[in-house]
């Protein structure tokens, strides 16, 4: 890591987790140590916004992903997602709309990776009014060595040395904010509040009402949660520690095998982590100073192969953390229940189809919202024939079908959709098949 020129704080942070791993810590959170979360305040009950607080707020988007799960080789945020616009286009317009609506120079900040930075900054040149003088648009996240699963030594991979490294998870945002100098710069310029979310979640824009409440309550850390649905069974949820009642985030990789059923019980663990986070920058600075730069977030151990495209390559461990897990670090941290509209991520081509369809629309504030008349998103499950973006596009050459009346769409095999296809209710389609123009699919 020193040879790569990485900051000492980043090295100390990795060393902390490597030592935990060598001591036998598997990064798990057993059900026996947790209690379900109840009585979360609702964003619907918040007061009107205080416009003055907006001058001290920053909107940060995590933008390090390449969309490799969909076969992309450039920043995922450059993917066209709605009405001819990319994620990045819509994010830029969200920020510019906020500035115009509230008369506040709210900065947009991106955490890029080395792989996404150049493409992203080039794309943002289309918005010359976006940068704020004296503030960079981005900083770059760190990287950590992949460890061989059998020996815990750093892997060597001569075929492609770049594959010896892994991103340390989005929990690295706090370390990289500090080591890049961005945290100190923001504080020096009078910014106090940071809103963080993923660049692929277009429902997550800076909400002035939540910001005002967050500031008035003097909270150090706030996590947005939504009602957990069937589609969220395998996603992270918030819970309370039995020993002290503190809040924790539990991700899939932290669940012991014997607790899998309890983890996926959406009636027991009702609140899904939307990964929309609010942080008091002064509280973050204090926490980092008190811990010598190492926040000590719960460790996540991800088992992979050194070359993710080659299942026969050596098995490695990637040590990661989740930014939402910082809720367990700050005394007085809280959660707030928000409408599902603030959670519209695109992780797969199935999600992409839903967001591109008429089940969602672009609102006046440039957020992506469920269309009028819909209370929740349709569930779409596309087979592996649609997994990679070029294949996905080839199966929908005339655009997505209408899903505004769809409840669930399952597609198996090679199915090509014609123009103006409508899906109603619960539909299962098996290929090979060609769906003619104008077809109504139901039943």
């Amino acid at each position: 890591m020193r040879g790569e020129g990485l900051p000492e704080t980043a090295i100390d942070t990795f060393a902390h987790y490597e030592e935990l791993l060598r001591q036998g810590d598997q990064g798990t959170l057993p059900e026996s140590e947790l209690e379900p979360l109840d009585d979360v305040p609702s964003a619907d009950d918040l007061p009107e916004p205080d416009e003055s607080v907006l001058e001290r707020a920053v909107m940060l988007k995590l933008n390090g992903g390449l969309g490799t799960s969909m076969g992309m080789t450039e920043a995922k945020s450059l993917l066209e997602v709605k009405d001819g616009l990319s994620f990045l286009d819509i994010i830029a317009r969200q920020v510019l709309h906020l500035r115009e609506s509230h008369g506040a120079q709210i900065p947009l900040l991106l955490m890029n990776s080395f792989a996404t930075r150049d493409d992203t900054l080039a794309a943002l040149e289309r918005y010359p009014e976006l940068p704020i003088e004296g503030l960079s648009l981005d900083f770059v996240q760190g990287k950590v060595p992949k460890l061989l699963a059998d020996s815990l030594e750093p892997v060597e991979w001569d075929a492609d040395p770049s594959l010896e490294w892994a991103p340390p998870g989005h929990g690295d945002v706090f370390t990289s904010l500090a080591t890049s100098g961005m945290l100190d710069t923001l504080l020096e310029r009078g910014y106090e509040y940071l809103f963080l979310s993923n660049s692929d979640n277009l429902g997550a824009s800076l909400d002035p009402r939540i910001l005002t409440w967050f500031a008035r309550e003097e909270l150090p850390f706030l996590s947005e949660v939504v009602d957990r649905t069937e589609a969220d069974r395998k996603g992270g949820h918030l819970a309370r520690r039995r020993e002290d009642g503190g809040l924790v985030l539990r991700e899939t990789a932290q669940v012991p095998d014997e607790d899998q059923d309890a983890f996926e019980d959406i009636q027991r663990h009702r609140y899904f982590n939307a990964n929309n986070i609010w942080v008091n920058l002064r509280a973050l600075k204090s926490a980092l100073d008190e811990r010598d730069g190492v926040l000590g977030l719960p460790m996540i151990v991800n088992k992979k192969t050194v070359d993710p495209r080659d299942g026969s390559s050596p098995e490695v461990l990637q040590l990661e953390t989740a930014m939402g897990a910082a809720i367990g670090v700050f005394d007085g941290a809280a959660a707030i229940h928000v409408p599902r509209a603030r959670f519209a991520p695109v992780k797969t081509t199935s999600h992409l189809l839903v967001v591109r369809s008429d089940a969602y629309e672009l609102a006046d504030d440039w957020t992506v919202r469920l269309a009028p008349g819909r209370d929740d998103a349709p569930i779409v499950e596309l087979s592996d024939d649609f997994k990679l973006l070029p294949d996905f596009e080839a199966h929908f050459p005339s655009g997505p079908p209408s899903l505004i009346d769809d409840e669930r769409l399952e597609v198996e095999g090679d199915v090509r959709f014609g123009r103006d296809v409508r899906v109603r209710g619960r539909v299962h389609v098996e290929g090979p098949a060609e769906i003619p123009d104008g077809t109504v699919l139901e039943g």
Side-chain angles (χ1 to χ4, degrees), residues 271-290:
Y271 294 112
F272 183 73
N273 171 45
N275 223 32
N276 301 341
I277 303 295
W278 300 80
V279 179
N280 182 299
L281 291 173
R282 297 190 185 283
L284 174 60
K285 173 74 171 172
S286 296
L288 287 166
D289 289 345
E290 289 168 5

Side-chain angles (χ1 to χ4, degrees), residues 274-341:
N275 223 32
N276 301 341
I277 303 295
W278 300 80
V279 179
N280 182 299
L281 291 173
R282 297 190 185 283
L284 174 60
K285 173 74 171 172
S286 296
L288 287 166
D289 289 345
E290 289 168 5
R291 295 167 172 80
D292 295 325
V294 180
L295 280 183
L297 306 183
M299 178 174 65
I300 300 173
V301 181
N302 266 326
K303 297 180 180 179
K304 304 202 179 246
T305 54
V306 62
D307 185 343
R309 298 159 297 185
D310 180 3
S312 65
S313 61
E315 188 178 61
V316 294
L317 304 179
Q318 295 180 196
L319 306 187
E320 302 177 9
T321 58
M323 70 175 183
I327 199 168
V329 169
F330 295 93
D331 290 336
I336 188 165
H337 181 248
V338 299
R340 191 77 186 191

Side-chain angles (χ1 to χ4, degrees), residues 15 19 135 206 230 281 285 312 325 336 359 397 401 410 412 426 436:
E19 181 63 23
L135 273 182
L206 191 151
E230 180 187 350
L281 291 173
K285 173 74 171 172
S312 65
I336 188 165
E410 299 173 351
E412 290 186 29
R426 300 175 70 92

Side-chain angles (χ1 to χ4, degrees), residues 7 156 218 222 226 376:
E156 295 184 8
E218 299 183 346
L222 179 67
V226 294
D376 50 30

Side-chain angles (χ1 to χ4, degrees), residues 331-350:
D331 290 336
I336 188 165
H337 181 248
V338 299
R340 191 77 186 191
R342 290 187 58 78
F343 183 68
V346 177
K347 302 297 183 188
T348 65
T349 53
S350 295

